[in-house]
């Protein structure tokens, strides 16, 4: 294995996944280096879950895909020693006790540490003797993360991990993920619709629209490449004339508008507005809305 | 969850927040700062962002790196922060406040300096 491939955990080149004639994932290419927290964004049906399944060998792709230097479809068993995955449909059996799950995982996974799992569970309000059916939805997800984070893996793939959780449970989930699992070497891929909430957590973004990758970029690069100008309603026409990617309202109160540009906006416009950090949600809306749904924002 | 002002870099906002806590003695001078991971978890921020914020505080001499031990609050950091805050008040806030007091015709003798019991 070369140095480069050790630092790159996922390498996809012209990757497609077909369901019959439908291209769920359509010719995407990207890299995920080590030590990253990657947000996988897209509307329902954009191909997020399919792409994640391909990364852990549960969907057969066309094109090139290497995860931890392995072909996920051919080497799934070897891959799953060092990559872990919580699918969006993950459930734990209702009748099982949490310490039974720890025992089960100890037998199933060679890189699972029962001690580590118990230590992580102590962070939560989940008791080892609790049965899954007595736990709240948030506690089940916490228990699930504690079990998966007790695997000494290099890559974690989380498909809509906080769906249906209240705000405190979501915060607790991400807190455990950041404090207990991310160590600067491991990478995580998270898909979610709660873009605003995890934006500041992310180092990179992969944005899918109808199977196609419309953006694969680091957050730092977003700040350099995209510029949002907040401006008064009085200069709205000038802003519109420069063809921004998106125009939207900002902040509470009347009159606050903003225009989002790919690249530096013309100098005369910069004098009319105030630069802001473009938000991921605005970028997402700008890059993934369907042309037929295109509507004037004002 | 925490929201960050889109007009300023997030690392700068975190650095300001941590500086305000240092001014309140949290953590006290000579004590260790929480780890990057702990801060990242607490504020739901990317660890790289936290790292940049701590670096900014280090550049201002408020934190010092003790080899192998991590970041500690520099002795004298609070005094330094207080001096900077004082300066900021006198330059940025006081002139506006003074103008307002003048407009309202409020003199020093009308201002209570001792908090009411």
């Amino acid at each position: 294995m070369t140095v480069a491939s050790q630092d790159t955990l996922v390498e996809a080149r012209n990757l497609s996944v077909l369901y019959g004639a439908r291209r769920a994932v359509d010719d995407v290419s990207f890299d995920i280096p080590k030590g990253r927290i990657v947000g996988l964004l897209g509307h329902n049906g954009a191909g997020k879950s399919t792409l994640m399944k391909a990364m852990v060998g549960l969907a057969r792709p066309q094109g090139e895909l290497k995860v931890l230097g392995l072909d996920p479809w051919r080497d799934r068993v070897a891959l799953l020693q060092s990559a872990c995955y919580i699918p969006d449909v993950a459930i734990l059996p209702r009748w099982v006790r949490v310490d039974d799950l720890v025992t089960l995982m100890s037998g199933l996974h060679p890189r699972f540490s029962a001690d580590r799992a118990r230590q992580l569970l102590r962070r939560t309000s989940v008791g080892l003797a609790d049965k899954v059916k007595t736990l709240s939805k948030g506690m089940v997800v916490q228990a699930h993360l504690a079990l998966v984070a007790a695997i000494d893996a290099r890559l974690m793939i989380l498909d809509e991990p906080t769906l249906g959780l209240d705000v405190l449970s979501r915060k607790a989930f991400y807190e455990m993920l950041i404090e207990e699992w991310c160590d600067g070497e491991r990478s995580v891929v998270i898909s979610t619709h709660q873009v605003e909430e995890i934006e500041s957590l992310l180092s990179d973004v992969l944005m899918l629209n109808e199977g196609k990758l419309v953006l694969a970029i680091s957050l730092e690069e977003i700040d350099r490449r995209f510029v949002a100008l907040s401006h008064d309603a009085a200069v709205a026409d000038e802003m519109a004339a420069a063809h921004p990617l998106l125009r939207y309202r900002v902040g509470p109160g009347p009159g606050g508008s903003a225009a989002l540009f790919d690249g530096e906006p013309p100098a005369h416009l910069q004098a009319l507005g105030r630069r802001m950090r473009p938000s991921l949600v605005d970028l997402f809306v700008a890059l993934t809305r369907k042309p037929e749904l295109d509507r004037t924002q004002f | 969850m925490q929201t960050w002002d889109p007009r300023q870099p997030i690392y700068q906002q975190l650095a300001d927040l941590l500086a305000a806590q240092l001014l309140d003695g949290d953590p006290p001078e000579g004590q260790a700062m929480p780890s990057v991971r702990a801060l990242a978890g607490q504020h739901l921020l990317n660890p790289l962002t936290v790292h940049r914020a701590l670096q900014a505080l280090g550049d201002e001499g408020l934190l010092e790196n003790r080899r192998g031990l991590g970041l500690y609050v520099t002795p004298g950091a609070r005094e330094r922060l207080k001096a900077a805050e004082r300066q900021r008040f006198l330059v940025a806030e006081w002139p506006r406040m003074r103008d307002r007091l003048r407009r309202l015709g409020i003199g020093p003798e009308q201002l209570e300096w001792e908090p009411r019991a």
Side-chain angles (χ1 to χ4, degrees), chain A residues 99-112:
Chain A
D99 53 1
D100 293 335
L101 286 169
V102 175
T103 309
L104 175 72
M105 285 293 289
S106 304
L108 280 178
H109 203 292
R111 301 178 72 86
F112 175 83

Side-chain angles (χ1 to χ4, degrees), chain B residues 64-117:
Chain B
E64 58 187 13
N65 204 351
R66 294 196 191 160
R67 205 171 280 274
L69 292 172
L71 284 172
Y72 281 72
V73 183
T74 314
R78 285 181 72 186
E79 215 26 71
R80 230 157 144 161
L81 270 169
K82 210 183 264 178
E85 274 297 296
R86 251 189 230 122
Q87 192 58 24
R88 203 183 57 77
F89 174 81
L90 291 173
V91 172
E93 283 177 42
W94 173 241
R96 258 183 302 154
M97 194 178 287
R98 181 191 52 209
D99 293 350
R100 184 159 164 73
L101 291 173
R102 282 221 165 128
R103 271 202 305 278
L104 295 173
I106 299 175
E109 63 286 347
Q110 280 155 287
L111 295 171
E112 284 178 31
W113 285 96
E114 298 307 324
R116 282 184 206 193

